[in-house]
Amino acid sequence: MGEILIGTCSWTDKALVGSGWYPPGRRDAEGRLRHYAERFPVVEVDATYYALPSARNSLLWAERTPAGFRFDVKAFSLLTGHPTRTAALPADLRDRDTGDPGFLDEIWHRFSEALRPLREADRLGTLLFQFPPWFAPGARAEAVLHRTRRRAGDWPVAVEFRHPDWWRDARRARTTALLTDLDAAAVAVDMAQDLPTSIPPLTPVTSDGLAVVRFHGHSSAWGRGTKEGRFRHTYDEEELREWRPRLRSLADRVAHLHVLFNNCCADAAVRAAEAMRGLMCPATHRRDVAG
């Protein structure tokens, strides 16, 4: 069975910081990360979606986490075709045509170079390319995915689709074959299943090295409303148990499985991650609780 790492999507979310989960004396930037990394072995970095990362932060993240800890880093918004504020771009690039492939090559170069210290310290789990709901399957989208893989070179890549047609019955085999050919890990998701944009809870394996599952919660406000409304959900034990056989099956087929909770309201994500760890890795969970 592959290594199972369970954590959350962000350790800096304002709702988590304000929940009281971080104890007094560990609420500064360094203290928060060290506290988190003492309790979980993996985390997703979502700040890199909103702004390009910095090499300095990569170095600090590596220094503040133990060997074996992993950061899954979300790709900058421009690299996945999302709207991007001009203010989020480097000052010397703000007058460039954002649709120019050469411009995107430069963005990728700066993105990857800033993360290189994290990779060289063996803290990088994968780069997460989360494509938008309007990124529908077809020849143009497949061309974008091939360009993305070429830019990424030998960097590890995981892909999450937000358009449900990628995983519908008629397209599923083609999508699986495409991601396998690209050596990109398919991201499985847990979310509400009664919405027009619901992604089915499938667990395809498209890379021997890694599988990723992101738990978004079961809010009916997915895709609309406030961030809190979209992700407000408290997982109960029954909901988590339903995923245990699927996660074990994934872990049997890959070297590493990352399980990340994105129900980021107050401390709901860290509590769900703790509960899932108790279900999936009871011995490790008992040692952590005792310690």
Side-chain angles (χ1 to χ4, degrees):
M1 178 175 287
E3 180 184 40
I4 302 172
L5 303 183
I6 301 172
T8 67
C9 299
S10 176
W11 74 97
T12 61
D13 187 84
K14 289 182 180 180
L16 175 61
V17 174
S19 73
W21 187 72
Y22 289 107
R26 307 203 75 175
R27 294 176 181 170
D28 62 321
E30 179 175 355
R32 289 196 304 265
L33 181 53
R34 290 190 183 278
H35 181 77
Y36 179 96
E38 288 169 2
R39 285 152 181 80
F40 299 105
V42 64
V43 75
E44 182 179 297
V45 183
D46 64 355
T48 49
Y49 168 83
Y50 300 100
L52 288 172
S54 70
R56 179 178 182 275
N57 276 345
S58 291
L59 287 167
L60 290 174
W61 293 341
E63 290 172 0
R64 293 169 179 175
T65 53
F69 190 87
R70 293 292 180 264
F71 292 87
D72 288 356
V73 181
K74 189 178 286 188
F76 183 51
S77 56
L78 266 179
L79 296 173
T80 48
H82 286 85
T84 302
R85 296 179 302 109
T86 301
L89 299 174
D92 63 315
L93 297 180
R94 291 175 185 172
D95 293 331
R96 296 275 298 273
D97 176 8
T98 59
D100 176 6
F103 172 78
L104 292 179
D105 288 341
E106 178 62 23
I107 290 293
W108 163 257
H109 173 73
R110 298 191 188 194
F111 177 80
S112 59
E113 285 304 301
L115 294 174
R116 193 169 296 281
L118 197 66
R119 189 183 189 194
E120 291 175 348
D122 196 26
R123 295 293 193 278
L124 181 68
T126 192
L127 302 180
L128 171 63
F129 288 82
Q130 177 190 295
F131 288 94
W134 55 87
F135 189 75
R140 292 181 63 183
E142 290 189 13
V144 169
L145 291 168
H146 279 283
R147 284 196 297 271
T148 298
R149 177 74 265 185
R150 286 196 296 272
R151 283 193 184 100
D154 65 347
W155 288 69
V157 166
V159 171
E160 179 179 349
F161 295 117
R162 291 289 176 89
H163 194 296
D165 283 359
W166 287 97
W167 294 117
R168 296 206 193 281
D169 290 346
R171 180 80 193 193
R172 189 179 305 166
R174 184 180 179 93
T175 298
T176 300
L178 172 64
L179 294 182
T180 301
D181 182 58
L182 296 173
D183 190 26
V187 176
V189 300
D190 177 74
M191 62 177 296
Q193 291 297 301
D194 55 354
L195 306 172
T197 55
S198 295
I199 308 298
L202 305 174
T203 54
V205 170
T206 56
S207 173
D208 294 338
L210 177 68
V212 181
V213 183
R214 300 179 80 224
F215 284 76
H216 295 311
H218 298 164
S219 172
S220 60
W222 177 264
R224 57 186 175 84
T226 65
K227 177 182 177 182
E228 289 76 15
R230 295 194 305 273
F231 295 101
R232 188 183 306 281
H233 183 74
T234 299
Y235 279 96
D236 61 36
E237 185 171 331
E238 182 179 352
E239 290 170 327
L240 298 177
R241 281 188 181 278
E242 287 178 0
W243 270 89
R244 184 164 62 174
R246 283 177 262 181
L247 296 179
R248 290 198 179 280
S249 176
L250 277 175
D252 283 340
R253 292 179 285 163
V254 296
H256 306 280
L257 171 62
H258 292 185
V259 180
L260 297 159
F261 284 85
N262 197 30
N263 54 321
C264 48
C265 288
D267 62 353
V270 293
R271 299 307 177 195
E274 289 168 350
M276 183 63 89
R277 183 179 59 191
L279 291 172
M280 297 298 299
C281 317
T284 300
H285 181 68
R286 285 195 297 269
R287 287 199 303 270
D288 290 346
V289 170

